[in-house]
Amino acid sequence: MTSSRQKPAPRPSSAFLTVDPEKDGKQVGFLMIPHSPDDDAWGATRIPVAIIKNGSGPTAILEGGNHGDEYEGPIAICDLIRNLDPGRVQGRLILMPANNVHAVIAGKRTSSVDGLNFNRTFPGDPRGTITQQISAFLSDHILPLGDAFLDLHSGGSSLDIIPSAIVEPTDDPQLHKRNVAAVQAFDAPMTVVIANLGEPRTATATACRQGLVTVGTEMAGAGTVSLDALKICRRGVANVLDHLGIVARDTPEPRRGDGQVLELPGTAAYVYATADGIFEPFHANGEKVSAGQPAGRIHCTWDPTRPPETLHYAADGILYGRRQPGRVRPGNCCLIVAAPYRGVLS
């Protein structure tokens, strides 16, 4: 199923699992990382992990809670932990609904313990801060067990994004083909290739480097649980597990997506705030926009003599995501444009 794998040699770590990845049946436990903060000399950070193993087949790793303010994916993973009959599994599921656990508990994007963005710490450091130790354990011990990796995100508290399944770019053409097939099997309303401007420190970039079939998502956001996006996420996860041959669907469902593949066209995709104030967008998600077109304006309401500052799009496409809070400061991402994908799909 996978191409040549780049399995990293495990680095020395004090972290350990309370579940056995090789044991059949369903287990629910924790990844334990010894943690000695001010109020707990010999304590541990506990990251929930469930293993469901049965029969023979591939292993899929499902991650939620990569950011703590993204909710649809973790809910869908917890559904599987509670409700999936191990007898329906052919292979193995490694289910991790709250990997950035301190951020998840706080409902924030970044960890409340060390302030780090978990998705910018890979491959981690087994002797680093708590967040770095979590990403190191995933890199060294969890991802090498897998054949496929589903990283379930949403726009979080700061962005409202059209529900979509995400293709992580890879230089391996065969893996790229399998990634596209798995993402299209998810069958979200939109499929988008997102390169994160070449950022290598994400979970999905790390999974691709290790040769795993990789599927990402962006399920709405706006700091809440979207009922529509949650339905899309649950259905999409079931579609991918069926596609991988791990959990067959009871009845096949007709495809709902239009098959179009988009991408974020580099730095031109992003419209950033240039001033301190309140952002007024001019368009709704899904509307067609064009380079040079006014995108919105920033009001300084505490100084009404100051005229609003107008922002403009730098790319043609559709409006893919908008900032959720109205309050902005210079550098905040206000808008995101997606354009037709220019690469090769197969």
Side-chain angles (χ1 to χ4, degrees):
M1 179 179 183
T2 56
S3 60
S4 58
R5 299 288 299 274
Q6 300 179 28
K7 294 187 178 183
R11 295 164 287 180
S13 171
S14 55
F16 59 96
L17 289 169
T18 66
V19 292
D20 179 0
E22 303 306 323
K23 182 179 177 180
D24 285 344
K26 181 185 292 188
Q27 307 167 73
V28 182
F30 298 94
L31 163 60
M32 305 286 285
I33 299 183
H35 185 192
S36 184
D38 183 60
D39 62 350
D40 192 2
W42 282 359
T45 285
R46 306 194 311 170
I47 298 95
V49 182
I51 309 287
I52 305 178
K53 185 175 183 292
N54 181 64
S56 60
T59 292
I61 302 160
L62 278 69
E63 173 182 76
N66 184 304
H67 297 120
D69 59 350
E70 303 175 4
Y71 306 124
E72 290 84 1
I75 290 173
I77 294 173
C78 286
D79 286 345
L80 290 174
I81 293 172
R82 289 190 298 268
N83 302 324
L84 182 59
D85 179 356
R88 294 187 59 204
V89 173
Q90 290 298 312
R92 179 171 55 182
L93 297 177
I94 301 175
L95 304 166
M96 307 185 75
N99 275 348
N100 191 0
V101 67
H102 293 292
V104 170
I105 292 169
K108 295 184 176 181
R109 181 172 179 81
T110 57
S111 172
S112 57
V113 171
D114 55 23
L116 293 181
N117 178 343
F118 178 66
N119 214 31
R120 299 296 185 273
T121 64
F122 284 83
D125 180 353
R127 298 299 187 217
T129 69
I130 287 296
T131 302
Q132 293 169 328
Q133 289 185 59
I134 299 170
S135 57
F137 196 90
L138 260 71
S139 298
D140 293 359
H141 298 277
I142 299 297
L143 291 179
L145 298 174
D147 299 292
F149 179 61
L150 282 70
D151 192 14
L152 305 178
H153 288 261
S154 77
S157 300
S158 67
L159 290 173
D160 183 13
I161 296 176
I162 297 174
S164 47
I166 308 304
V167 178
E168 174 71 33
T170 172
D171 294 331
D172 181 337
Q174 292 303 313
L175 179 59
H176 176 69
K177 183 177 179 179
R178 292 194 295 271
N179 285 351
V180 170
V183 169
Q184 290 182 325
F186 191 100
D187 196 25
M190 187 175 292
T191 296
V192 185
V193 179
I194 298 181
N196 279 309
L197 302 179
E199 175 58 69
R201 297 172 296 168
T202 66
T204 49
T206 304
C208 280
R209 284 195 298 273
Q210 294 195 30
L212 280 74
V213 172
T214 301
V215 176
T217 70
E218 291 293 350
M219 290 288 119
T224 186
V225 177
S226 162
L227 296 181
D228 288 341
L230 182 56
K231 184 177 180 180
I232 291 166
C233 190
R234 284 171 167 151
R235 178 179 177 274
V237 168
N239 286 346
V240 174
L241 296 183
D242 180 77
H243 169 79
L244 296 170
I246 300 174
V247 183
R249 293 195 68 106
D250 293 329
T251 56
E253 292 195 11
R255 289 191 62 84
R256 299 181 183 180
D258 62 8
Q260 183 183 21
V261 179
L262 304 174
E263 67 177 344
L264 302 192
T267 57
Y270 305 93
V271 177
Y272 296 107
T274 56
D276 194 38
I278 299 168
F279 178 63
E280 172 198 1
F282 288 167
H283 305 96
N285 279 353
E287 288 192 44
K288 290 185 178 180
V289 299
S290 58
Q293 180 181 3
R297 54 185 181 175
I298 299 173
H299 301 267
C300 183
T301 57
W302 50 92
D303 183 2
T305 64
R306 176 179 162 186
E309 189 160 325
T310 301
L311 307 181
H312 296 81
Y313 296 110
D316 298 336
I318 68 162
L319 186 57
Y320 176 56
R322 303 193 316 177
R323 180 171 171 82
Q324 176 63 19
R327 187 71 170 85
V328 296
R329 63 181 184 275
N332 283 155
C333 180
C334 296
L335 302 164
I336 307 158
V337 174
Y341 182 53
R342 296 165 294 179
V344 177
L345 292 176
S346 61

